[in-house]
Amino acid sequence: QMQLVESGGGLAQPGGSLRLSCAASGIIFSRATMGWYRQVPGKQRELVARIFSGGGTIYGDSVKGRFTISRDNAKNTVNLQMNSLKVEDTAVYYCNLFLVPDTYWGQGTQVTVSS
């Protein structure tokens, strides 16, 4: 049974930092593409960052230069370091795992950026 467990959400001030982590179990993690997505009420879920099995990364335009995605295959974890946070980064953040032909989602973790 594949599981994704997220941690690290919470409240931050504008300009501050948060770090999200996602732990995966029950799957060959090193072969999977991992990602973080976010969603606010009334809007579609959007890509934040993605990291491929070979280590290549892509980022959403709104987070480039501020967020960094990384993975630790030995620990089956993917992390998202979020710096220079903005109010508009407020959302529920979801961990995503893609391993052909399946896609899995975590339960989501709330990130709120407010003064």
Side-chain angles (χ1 to χ4, degrees):
Q1 184 80 15
M2 217 292 298
Q3 277 192 314
L4 296 174
V5 179
E6 299 135 337
S7 61
L11 176 65
Q13 291 188 337
S17 298
L18 284 174
R19 183 178 176 86
L20 304 183
S21 292
C22 174
S25 61
I27 205 161
I28 304 174
F29 181 85
S30 62
R31 299 181 186 176
T33 295
M34 301 299 301
W36 288 95
Y37 291 72
R38 67 187 183 187
Q39 190 170 23
V40 297
K43 292 190 176 182
Q44 286 189 329
R45 194 170 293 187
E46 66 171 357
L47 173 70
V48 176
R50 179 178 280 183
I51 185 165
F52 300 94
S53 59
T57 58
I58 58 173
Y59 293 91
D61 288 342
S62 61
V63 307
K64 285 180 181 177
R66 300 188 297 122
F67 292 10
T68 303
I69 189 170
S70 61
R71 65 191 298 161
D72 185 337
N73 290 337
K75 297 181 178 179
N76 282 13
T77 58
V78 60
N79 302 304
L80 184 69
Q81 179 65 41
M82 304 185 293
N83 298 330
S84 302
L85 283 163
K86 303 177 180 180
V87 172
E88 50 264 42
D89 293 320
T90 296
V92 178
Y93 284 70
Y94 295 91
C95 179
N96 171 268
L97 184 150
F98 175 68
L99 183 61
V100 177
D102 301 311
T103 297
Y104 302 92
W105 294 94
Q107 79 281 2
T109 185
Q110 177 70 45
V111 170
T112 301
V113 184
S114 175
S115 56

